[in-house]
Amino acid sequence: VHPDYLIHSDDELVRLERQAAIYGTEEDLATLALRPSDRVLDVGCGAGAITRTIARAVPWGRATGIDREARYVAH
């Protein structure tokens, strides 16, 4: 893992995914004012919890998540 990367272990990845499941992210994304056909790029998506929420908010658009740690995207 790169020293500047914020997720330093798989345990942290799991913790962040659980946190997103408990607290949700829909309210956090409300400030983006997403439209159903928007295209959104989530850079540094980790395992993609927020990317999946964005995807639900843009059913006719596209949400793409990228991360430099392929194993987290695969998670």
Side-chain angles (χ1 to χ4, degrees):
V1 176
H2 191 276
D4 295 333
Y5 197 70
L6 296 177
I7 301 173
H8 296 290
S9 71
D10 290 346
D11 290 339
E12 177 66 1
L13 179 70
V14 170
R15 186 192 72 75
L16 291 170
E17 285 287 306
R18 287 180 180 158
Q19 179 178 316
I22 292 169
Y23 296 110
T25 54
E26 287 84 1
E27 290 178 12
D28 296 330
L29 296 177
T31 59
L32 296 179
L34 295 171
R35 296 171 301 208
S37 60
D38 281 349
R39 296 182 306 183
V40 180
L41 177 61
D42 181 4
V43 178
C45 69
I50 293 174
T51 311
R52 291 188 299 276
T53 302
I54 292 170
R56 289 190 294 274
V58 294
W60 300 291
R62 177 175 288 249
T64 303
I66 62 170
D67 197 284
R68 65 180 171 193
E69 293 290 331
R71 66 188 176 140
Y72 294 148
V73 175
H75 180 80

